[in-house]
Amino acid sequence: MTVPYDQYRIPAHGNDDHAERDDHVGRDVRAPAQPRPTVRAAGLIFSDVGVLLVKQRRLEREYWLLPGGGVHFGESLADALRRELREELRLEIDVGRPLALAEAISDDMASYPKHVVHVILEASLVDRQARPRLGGDIAVLEARFFTCADLGALTVTPPIRPFLESCFEGVPQQMCYLGLVW
């Protein structure tokens, strides 16, 4: 298939080290960029009250999930999680080891193209008395701690409620794969 020359991606600042260039016009001559999975760093944070979850709304649907967010190119999982908690909830955290991995791949890529790899990291509040305060992300509606008994009434996305409930008894000793969840 031939793609018209003007549909090839042109890096905004010329900082794409892997671009092949047509020296005559300075354009990127690779194939158009393809969608790629998003890596999301998520924090499993317990307090004396319970586990921290955030409420979000996307596409008119509300749900609860572990706090965190997308990892930027060149950013470690731990740094991404620290940044996201600082931006979204104004919390400072210490980040521990990865605990679990879950994949979320849309079953209808035509209408909702989404592929997220969730890496769940153990984390703790630097100030054990700190409580989340919403930052600038309008998708985050609320943040609070939940007991194990509270989880049953929540819509948790990705659907990892059994994993979260098991963590009240203790975090896994080895990293576990939670599977393809959607």
Side-chain angles (χ1 to χ4, degrees), residues 21-180:
R21 303 218 179 270
D22 178 336
D23 289 332
H24 299 291
V25 292
R27 291 184 185 227
D28 184 345
V29 294
R30 290 184 301 195
Q34 297 295 312
R36 293 187 175 157
T38 299
V39 176
R40 182 178 187 274
L44 183 67
I45 302 170
F46 280 96
S47 75
D48 55 340
V49 181
V51 65
L52 180 61
L53 297 176
V54 295
K55 185 178 188 180
Q56 289 191 348
R57 178 184 300 128
R58 302 246 193 243
L59 301 176
E60 305 305 318
R61 187 174 148 252
E62 292 183 359
Y63 53 89
W64 292 90
L65 72 163
L66 290 170
V71 178
H72 296 161
F73 183 80
E75 183 178 45
S76 72
L77 291 166
D79 286 344
L81 186 57
R82 278 190 213 81
R83 175 184 50 76
E84 288 287 346
L85 270 284
R86 194 174 302 121
E87 290 172 1
E88 292 181 357
L89 303 177
R90 299 182 180 150
L91 291 173
E92 295 297 326
I93 59 169
D94 289 321
V95 180
R97 66 184 176 83
L99 298 173
L101 182 119
E103 295 181 274
I105 302 173
S106 173
D107 53 5
D108 184 4
M109 287 291 193
S111 64
Y112 189 60
K114 188 158 185 116
H115 181 177
V116 181
V117 177
H118 299 266
V119 181
I120 301 168
L121 299 137
E122 188 172 24
S124 61
L125 298 174
V126 170
D127 175 359
R128 304 284 294 160
Q129 303 305 313
R131 291 298 175 247
R133 295 174 294 134
L134 297 184
D137 188 341
I138 61 170
V140 178
L141 306 175
E142 185 180 350
R144 64 186 180 108
F145 290 91
F146 290 93
T147 66
C148 188
D150 294 333
L151 294 178
L154 302 177
T155 299
V156 178
T157 299
I160 59 168
R161 185 180 306 127
F163 170 76
L164 295 176
E165 291 169 343
S166 73
C167 290
F168 277 87
E169 300 298 319
V171 297
Q173 294 304 305
Q174 296 181 347
M175 187 168 173
C176 54
Y177 177 65
L178 302 178
L180 179 60

